Amino acid sequence: MQQLEPSVKERVDKWLNGNYDATTKAEIQNLVDTQAYTELTDSFYKDLEFGTGGLRGIMGAGSNRINKYTIGAATQGLANYLLQKYPNQEIKVAIAHDSRNNSDVLGKITADVFSANGIKVYFFKALRPTPELSFAVRELGCKSGVMLTASHNPKEYNGYKAYGADGGQFVAPDDKLVMQEVAKILSVDDIKFDAKPENISYIGEEMDEDYLQKITSLSVSPNAIKRQKDLKIVYSPIHGTGITLVPQALERFGFENVILVDEQTTPDGNFPTVIYPNPEEKEALTLALKKAKEVDADLVLATDPDADRVGIAVKNLKGEFELLNGNQTGCLLVNYMLEAWEKAGKFTGKEYVIKTIVTSYLIDKIAESKNVTCYNTLTGFKFIGQIMTQLQGKETFIVGGEESYGYLVGEFVRDKDAVVSSAFIAEMTAFYKDKGSSLYEALVDMYVKFGFYKEKLVSITKKGKSGAEEIVAMMERFRNNPPKSLGGSKVVALKDYGLRQETNLHDNSTTELELPKSDVLQFITEDGSIISARPSGTEPKIKFYCSVNKPLASKAEFDKVNEELEQKVDKIMQDLEV
């Protein structure tokens, strides 16, 4: 044990000598006996913390792993927070889980701990999408909700998303208050694991029905769907929860020709047909694209394991299937929804859309053209949900989203929702087909009208404790020595959301940024490029979001301008020296 840092050794000893089950202790003892010091350090060097996505980590024994005890401690801490915040009130929570290995078991442990604390639990009796959990929290008048999922992470991961009474994930100050309560759980003996079954009720199909009815009521182009009801849609849930609701939502909207990717319809936490169950990765859509070519589909949809993100593919101008990125899909959705609302005469002057600061600024331009407010917020859908809750009853939310393939239409949910998004992407495709256009042509037309905005995300993975230190050092370097130019254009401003200030690099004058503190840096160049650097809150990564733009005179210029912008992004990444 001499090679372990004292703080790590102390945690290891605490687990080996504490009131933990024999299997857990045997797993830890094996790591000690085999002198697996790197793995022991990664498993015990810290406690799992709530990031932008809640609790997320690799499954296994240890304080920095997802297991019965870290989930139990999180739930006990959350229960203590709720009991303090809502004294002498009936407290209700909703719990759901996805298709990941152990999600059902961890969901049951979560339900047991809440029930043992005298809290009324509504537990989905089978796997369900994250957005339906958010919907259920609101619908049932719950004070909180928990979703057991690691979203699109690899199969070794699991996680825990905690929601507040508005159906959105916790934001300040409540997120910190929950974290403080979780941090106070210093011993496994502080966790009440003994369930009170009378406090647990099971829910299912009746909630599905309510949810499906409400999202179907949002449809804005039902006549176009009637005429294009045979639109060929290939859909894959990538072994996740989307299978429970996405096909039904498409059917309710009026689509009669939905073709499932059979090899990926069965929920399976091993995700046997993909490397990563992430619709952002082209490889995850291999089988869906193969099916699309076979049937000559109009649209390909694929959702991640907890069905809050959706990836799409459509035929490009050359007739080949092409995956759209999250910015392209988000821009198309906003453009379509605002056009449809205007055409239907639904605008009252109080409508708004929301996006994150690392999502395409084309959305701001589209909203401005319709006199619709576009709110920008920090990365993480909880901040979008927070604005929706603040504006509820005062202004009307139409649509919003973020570049990481997460979108929302309507006000029934406070998280990204691949179910409602899939339905509206299909509706949008039908709408343009009805006008003799494809979705890709609609994308190019949008670029001709507003300018060609090209975005690219570059993620650099740095694993373990040393990786985390490298990421901190990289951000410090950018803070203290911002690049002079990027992509051949002078850097004129630095937005530092950690310091909440924007610096004009011409005269070093500063102005305050309104958004809360966050470890994000944005470099803005003279020609309107925006490059954002952000360490991930849930993965061992630092992410660089590049956004460049240029006017597009006509469809004929598309390939040429696309190539120019592609080269510009490559040059920017070279200039950053990462």
Side-chain angles (χ1 to χ4, degrees):
M1 297 290 277
Q2 73 282 1
Q3 292 188 36
L4 289 178
E5 286 184 16
S7 62
V8 175
K9 183 182 182 309
E10 190 184 325
R11 278 201 176 97
V12 171
D13 289 343
K14 189 173 164 185
W15 280 57
L16 285 174
N17 300 318
N19 199 7
Y20 295 85
D21 65 85
T23 309
T24 297
K25 287 184 178 182
E27 194 179 323
I28 299 166
Q29 191 62 52
N30 182 51
L31 292 176
V32 172
D33 294 343
T34 56
Q35 298 188 343
Y37 296 134
T38 304
E39 194 174 336
L40 272 170
T41 298
D42 281 349
S43 299
F44 284 96
Y45 84 92
K46 64 173 185 176
D47 292 329
L48 272 182
E49 289 175 14
F50 280 75
T52 54
L55 202 62
R56 197 180 296 185
I58 293 168
M59 289 180 276
S63 61
N64 189 35
R65 293 285 184 257
I66 291 285
N67 50 59
K68 171 181 179 178
Y69 303 103
T70 53
I71 291 292
T75 306
Q76 186 62 54
L78 178 52
N80 291 350
Y81 156 84
L82 292 169
L83 290 163
Q84 284 171 32
K85 185 170 170 101
Y86 303 105
N88 309 316
Q89 293 183 44
E90 184 192 34
I91 300 172
K92 300 184 282 188
V93 300
I95 302 170
H97 67 83
D98 70 1
S99 60
R100 285 182 176 271
N101 295 333
N102 302 318
S103 279
D104 53 349
V105 176
L106 296 171
K108 181 69 172 72
I109 289 163
T110 304
D112 289 351
V113 174
F114 276 131
S115 74
N117 282 276
I119 290 169
K120 170 88 177 131
V121 176
Y122 293 100
F123 190 19
F124 277 95
K125 56 183 172 227
L127 78 171
R128 284 296 186 275
T130 288
E132 190 177 9
L133 184 272
S134 172
F135 176 81
V137 169
R138 297 172 60 75
E139 204 62 18
L140 295 167
C142 295
K143 300 298 188 203
S144 183
V146 171
M147 180 74 194
L148 282 300
T149 178
S151 192
H152 57 289
N153 279 58
K155 65 182 179 183
E156 297 81 16
Y157 284 75
N158 216 318
Y160 182 102
K161 289 183 180 176
Y163 291 80
D166 68 342
Q169 286 183 58
F170 285 111
V171 292
D174 296 274
D175 55 352
K176 296 287 190 295
L177 295 173
V178 174
M179 284 166 68
Q180 284 167 19
E181 289 303 324
V182 174
K184 286 179 191 171
I185 309 299
L186 298 175
S187 161
V188 64
D189 303 319
D190 296 337
I191 306 166
K192 297 178 182 175
F193 281 116
D194 295 328
K196 289 186 178 162
E198 66 273 17
N199 287 337
I200 302 174
S201 303
Y202 291 88
I203 55 173
E205 294 78 13
E206 67 287 359
M207 193 58 64
D208 301 344
E209 181 57 34
D210 200 3
Y211 171 80
L212 288 166
Q213 278 184 15
K214 283 197 163 73
I215 65 168
T216 307
S217 73
L218 297 168
S219 172
V220 273
S221 298
N223 293 330
I225 295 174
K226 273 183 194 141
R227 291 188 289 271
Q228 302 296 335
K229 64 179 192 284
D230 291 328
L231 190 81
K232 276 188 203 160
I233 302 167
V234 166
Y235 170 61
S236 170
I238 316 183
H239 305 290
T241 61
I243 194 64
T244 62
L245 282 180
V246 174
Q248 293 88 319
L250 291 167
E251 187 187 330
R252 296 286 182 102
F253 266 63
F255 294 103
E256 297 178 2
N257 198 1
V258 178
I259 301 137
L260 299 176
V261 179
D262 292 335
E263 304 93 320
Q264 296 180 326
T265 53
T266 304
D268 187 336
N270 292 315
F271 311 114
T273 64
V274 296
I275 298 167
Y276 297 110
N278 183 356
E280 295 178 67
E281 305 276 348
K282 188 173 185 182
E283 178 271 332
L285 276 80
T286 304
L287 290 173
L289 289 168
K290 181 170 172 274
K291 177 71 80 177
K293 283 171 194 158
E294 281 170 22
V295 302
D296 192 30
D298 295 290
L299 174 65
V300 177
L301 296 167
T303 55
D304 69 343
D306 67 325
D308 62 354
R309 297 169 195 249
V310 57
I312 79 170
V314 289
K315 282 185 191 169
N316 62 20
L317 300 178
K318 300 181 184 75
E320 302 155 342
F321 280 100
E322 185 175 317
L323 272 65
L324 299 192
N325 65 39
N327 282 298
Q328 290 171 315
T329 304
C331 290
L332 276 166
L333 258 178
V334 170
N335 192 45
Y336 163 68
M337 291 300 291
L338 298 192
E339 289 274 347
W341 271 57
E342 184 178 56
K343 194 177 169 194
K346 292 178 75 165
F347 283 149
T348 64
K350 289 188 173 180
E351 286 72 26
Y352 69 96
V353 300
I354 319 178
K355 60 178 270 291
T356 64
I357 55 173
V358 296
T359 302
S360 181
Y361 282 81
L362 175 53
I363 289 175
D364 299 68
K365 217 167 173 185
I366 293 165
E368 190 185 348
S369 75
K370 301 288 184 200
N371 293 317
V372 168
T373 306
C374 178
Y375 293 102
N376 275 277
T377 189
L378 295 175
T379 309
F381 219 90
K382 62 182 184 178
F383 297 114
I384 291 176
Q386 181 183 29
I387 291 175
M388 290 174 67
T389 296
Q390 287 165 351
L391 295 177
Q392 190 168 343
K394 300 172 201 160
E395 297 178 30
T396 305
F397 171 76
I398 299 179
V399 61
E402 53 187 359
E403 49 66 48
S404 54
Y405 293 58
Y407 323 102
L408 178 61
V409 178
E411 299 187 311
F412 299 123
V413 168
R414 289 286 183 277
D415 207 343
K416 47 190 177 283
D417 185 344
V419 182
V420 74
S421 300
S422 295
F424 273 94
I425 291 163
E427 175 173 296
M428 170 169 75
T429 308
F431 173 82
Y432 289 119
K433 188 173 185 183
D434 202 44
K435 288 167 62 170
S437 168
S438 72
L439 198 57
Y440 202 90
E441 284 171 311
L443 178 74
V444 178
D445 288 341
M446 182 172 69
Y447 289 155
V448 171
K449 185 174 178 182
F450 297 107
F452 194 152
Y453 282 68
K454 190 171 187 71
E455 284 83 19
K456 194 168 184 180
L457 170 63
V458 180
S459 286
I460 296 170
T461 300
K462 302 277 185 186
K463 287 192 174 170
K465 186 166 178 279
S466 60
E469 287 161 0
E470 273 185 76
I471 289 171
V472 169
M474 211 184 283
M475 289 297 282
E476 275 309 298
R477 172 165 68 86
F478 285 133
R479 255 189 189 98
N480 300 328
N481 299 296
K484 299 281 185 288
S485 77
L486 290 170
S489 181
K490 192 175 165 189
V491 177
V492 293
L494 169 66
K495 288 187 177 183
D496 187 333
Y497 290 89
L499 298 175
R500 296 183 69 208
Q501 72 176 27
E502 178 172 357
T503 305
N504 177 331
L505 296 177
H506 173 63
D507 61 10
N508 279 332
S509 61
T510 60
T511 51
E512 193 183 342
L513 294 171
E514 285 182 9
L515 293 176
K517 271 177 101 157
S518 182
D519 194 11
V520 182
L521 295 172
Q522 280 189 324
F523 309 111
I524 295 140
T525 67
E526 211 158 32
D527 65 1
S529 299
I530 299 175
I531 299 88
S532 309
R534 183 182 82 90
S536 169
T538 52
E539 300 166 282
K541 288 178 178 178
I542 182 167
K543 298 181 176 184
F544 295 92
Y545 305 80
C546 297
S547 175
V548 294
N549 67 83
K550 199 175 179 183
L552 181 63
S554 68
K555 262 186 194 167
E557 300 269 293
F558 179 81
D559 286 339
K560 177 172 157 285
V561 175
N562 189 33
E563 184 57 34
E564 286 171 11
L565 292 175
E566 189 72 47
Q567 287 173 6
K568 185 161 193 169
V569 170
D570 291 344
K571 177 78 169 70
I572 286 168
M573 288 312 297
Q574 283 169 21
D575 292 345
L576 284 170
E577 297 177 2
V578 292

